[in-house]
């Protein structure tokens, strides 16, 4: 049997989707003025930057997607190119959300609309993105990546994990769980 190269990424999507669900729950309440815990959005930015982006997206961009390109998928005008563009679009929504949440925390009025809009835009983008990866790109990778490339991919994931603190995933799971209880 071929060694699995996508299940770890699917598992990471599960935690990212829990944060997206929180954004979808809280952003409409921020837009109508009933949820003003700005720290939630800053913790959301921290989660997205460090867990979703530096950790998960780096595994995709530096390891799995590179392997797909090495295996013959074009770097431009391809599913990989589309996924990379969506990673960048997500970063832009998150940067705008962060600026507005920091301003709100510092006492500046009228940030609710920008925070809510960018939180929801990120949530919608990432939900669709994760769906395409789970349903199309990862199954494709499992079909086309040959056995002799799989050990390198698994080592690449391990190297990304080795760069994180020992409690990295547990810490982000507990941040998400705490807001789920809020
Ligand atoms: Fe991705
Ligand atoms: Fe992903």
């Amino acid at each position: 049997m071929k060694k699995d190269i996508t299940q770890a990424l699917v598992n990471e999507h599960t935690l990212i989707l829990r944060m997206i669900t929180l954004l979808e729950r809280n952003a409409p309440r921020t837009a109508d003025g009933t949820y003003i815990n700005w720290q939630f959005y800053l913790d959301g930015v921290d989660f997205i930057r460090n867990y979703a982006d530096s950790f998960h997206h780096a595994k995709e961009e530096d390891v799995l997607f590179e392997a797909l390109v090495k295996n013959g998928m074009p770097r431009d005008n391809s599913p990989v190119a589309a996924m990379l563009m969506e990673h960048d679009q997500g970063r832009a929504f998150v940067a705008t959300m962060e600026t507005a949440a920091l301003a709100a925390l510092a006492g500046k009025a009228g940030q609710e609309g920008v925070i809510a809009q960018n939180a929801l835009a990120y949530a919608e983008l990432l939900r669709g993105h994760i769906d395409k990866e789970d349903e199309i790109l990862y199954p494709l990778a499992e079909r086309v990546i040959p056995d002799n490339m799989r050990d390198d991919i698994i080592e690449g994931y391990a190297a990304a994990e080795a760069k994180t603190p020992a409690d990295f995933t547990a810490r982000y799971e507990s941040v998400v769980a705490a807001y789920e209880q809020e």
Side-chain angles (χ1 to χ4, degrees):
M1 210 180 114
K2 283 181 182 171
K3 288 182 184 163
D4 177 275
I5 48 169
T6 57
Q7 189 57 48
L9 301 178
V10 171
N11 295 344
E12 288 159 15
H13 284 168
T14 305
L15 185 59
I16 296 167
L17 285 167
R18 284 170 64 191
M19 174 54 78
I20 288 171
T21 300
L22 288 170
L23 291 167
E24 290 166 338
R25 182 187 77 186
N26 292 339
R29 296 161 61 208
T30 293
D32 72 19
T34 57
Y35 185 85
I36 55 164
N37 183 2
W38 314 123
Q39 189 58 45
F40 162 70
Y41 294 100
L42 295 176
D43 288 339
V45 168
D46 177 70
F47 173 93
I48 293 163
R49 279 222 180 108
N50 289 301
Y51 187 81
D53 225 9
S54 295
F55 181 60
H56 174 78
H57 290 167
K59 280 183 174 178
E60 292 177 342
E61 294 184 3
D62 300 342
V63 183
L64 185 66
F65 295 177
E66 275 308 309
L68 282 165
V69 169
K70 207 166 150 194
N71 191 54
M73 182 179 284
R75 197 178 284 281
D76 301 317
N77 295 313
S78 67
V80 160
M83 294 301 103
L84 293 179
M85 202 179 72
E86 290 181 352
H87 288 177
D88 276 342
Q89 286 171 339
R91 286 169 191 137
F93 290 134
V94 168
T96 309
M97 181 168 89
E98 180 184 41
T99 304
L102 284 171
L105 198 63
K108 193 168 175 212
Q111 303 304 302
E112 294 85 353
V114 177
I115 293 171
Q117 271 167 23
N118 283 278
L120 292 174
Y122 178 82
E124 189 183 351
L125 174 79
L126 250 283
R127 233 180 231 295
H129 179 85
I130 285 173
D131 221 53
K132 283 177 254 178
E133 289 179 343
D134 283 350
E135 301 301 326
I136 300 167
L137 194 62
Y138 293 176
L140 173 80
E142 292 290 3
R143 280 198 307 277
V144 302
I145 300 279
D147 278 353
N148 64 11
M149 289 179 74
R150 292 186 180 231
D151 284 337
D152 280 354
I153 293 170
I154 292 161
E155 274 171 36
Y157 294 159
E161 272 155 36
K163 279 193 225 157
T164 64
D167 65 342
F168 182 75
T169 297
R171 188 155 53 83
Y172 281 112
E173 273 168 353
S174 73
V175 168
V176 169
Y179 280 110
E180 285 170 341
Q181 297 304 313
E182 190 185 54

